[in-house]
């Protein structure tokens, strides 16, 4: 059964609104976490403690947050699941998921 044009428009608007609401909630959670950590990268010190050379690239000042457990795998934007991060450390974390897991910057689904 095909949706009417009106029903399709309503569904599209509702979906857009939910997406916008999630984006606003994410921005609020991110900004609150960055403020709480005083905009300091939390991944750089983990890399340094593990003596992984990538910490030398750490910019120190965080500009975003990393989800320890990806939202698509059941994670959330709760403060306890976020790590403030600078661009170089965030890129390293995404490029090296196994090492990131070992230093505590990433959690495997189901762990």
């Amino acid at each position: 059964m095909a949706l009417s044009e009106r029903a399709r428009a309503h569904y599209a608007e509702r979906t857009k609104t939910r997406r916008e609401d999630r984006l606003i909630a994410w921005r609020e959670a991110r900004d609150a976490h960055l403020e709480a950590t005083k905009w300091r990268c939390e991944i750089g010190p983990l890399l340094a403690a593990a003596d992984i050379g990538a910490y030398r690239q750490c910019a120190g000042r965080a500009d975003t947050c990393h989800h320890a457990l990806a939202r698509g795998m059941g994670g959330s934007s709760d403060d306890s699941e976020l790590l403030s991060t600078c661009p170089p450390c965030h890129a390293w974390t995404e490029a090296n998921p196994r090492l990131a897991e070992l230093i505590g910057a990433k959690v495997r689904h189901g762990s």
Side-chain angles (χ1 to χ4, degrees):
M1 178 155 92
L3 289 174
S4 69
E5 194 62 37
R6 182 175 173 194
R8 202 170 310 176
H10 173 73
Y11 177 77
E13 184 61 34
R14 195 175 81 206
T15 301
K16 179 182 173 190
T17 302
R18 285 182 182 160
R19 198 174 12 226
E20 290 169 347
D21 289 348
R22 281 194 305 265
L23 181 59
I24 290 168
W26 158 241
R27 287 178 178 161
E28 289 172 353
R30 177 198 63 198
D31 292 349
H33 189 80
L34 289 169
E35 287 293 327
T37 59
K38 297 184 169 99
W39 296 80
R40 291 190 189 118
C41 180
E42 295 178 288
I43 295 178
L46 294 174
L47 291 168
D51 199 25
I52 296 174
Y55 74 88
R56 293 184 194 102
Q57 303 296 321
C58 181
R61 181 168 167 79
D63 68 353
T64 193
C65 288
H66 170 75
H67 289 87
L69 177 59
R71 286 186 26 230
M73 297 167 114
S76 71
S77 293
D78 290 341
D79 196 54
S80 63
E81 294 188 21
L82 296 176
L83 291 166
S84 58
T85 182
C86 66
C89 288
H90 194 232
W92 180 89
T93 303
E94 294 300 326
N96 300 282
R98 297 234 188 248
L99 287 174
E101 187 179 337
L102 290 174
I103 66 167
K106 217 171 200 22
V107 177
R108 190 180 305 182
H109 179 62
S111 295

